[in-house]
Amino acid sequence: MTTQAIGTTTWVVADGYIPPGSTGPAPAMTSHDSICMLNAGDEPAHVTIEVFYTDREPVGPYGLTVPARRAHHQRINDLSDPEPILPGIDYCLVIRSDRPIVVQHTRLDSRQAENALMSTIAYPSSL
């Protein structure tokens, strides 16, 4: 089956923040940010993530591959190379891919028993 690639190759998440603390069983209820990526095309998408902070130089790239015709959910908490992204610190992401993809940003804040879930489409850049 041949599918058409959709999306764009550069995405921006301007509101990154991993809540410092969790309520409930890990790993399902661990507070986290994640990026959800869709590669609807017929070729794997090689993705790089660069992290920007308010008070220090950017970090990255973090690399991953989203297989053809697949979705990939990447917890930001799980990124570790070149360094972990720590909870409780504001950050922004620039996500670049060699193939068009679609990116959504999600946050689970389980610091209280009354959990909060936020989700929004990332900003699709034309650059």
Side-chain angles (χ1 to χ4, degrees), residues 7 17 33-34 45 68 70 78 105-106 114-115:
Y17 181 79
D33 272 9
S34 64
R70 295 290 185 270
D78 293 341
H105 172 243
T106 302
E114 298 78 18
N115 298 313

Side-chain angles (χ1 to χ4, degrees), residues 53-105:
Y53 295 101
T54 58
D55 60 353
R56 57 185 162 131
E57 289 300 307
V59 176
Y62 299 82
L64 57 96
T65 300
V66 181
R69 298 179 305 280
R70 295 290 185 270
H72 178 76
H73 295 246
Q74 178 63 55
R75 282 192 182 196
I76 302 304
N77 307 43
D78 293 341
L79 295 174
S80 61
D81 186 18
E83 67 183 50
I85 300 168
L86 301 176
I89 299 173
D90 296 334
Y91 67 87
C92 301
L93 303 175
V94 174
I95 301 146
R96 292 185 175 93
S97 175
D98 65 347
R99 306 268 183 224
I101 60 172
V102 176
V103 178
Q104 183 172 334
H105 172 243

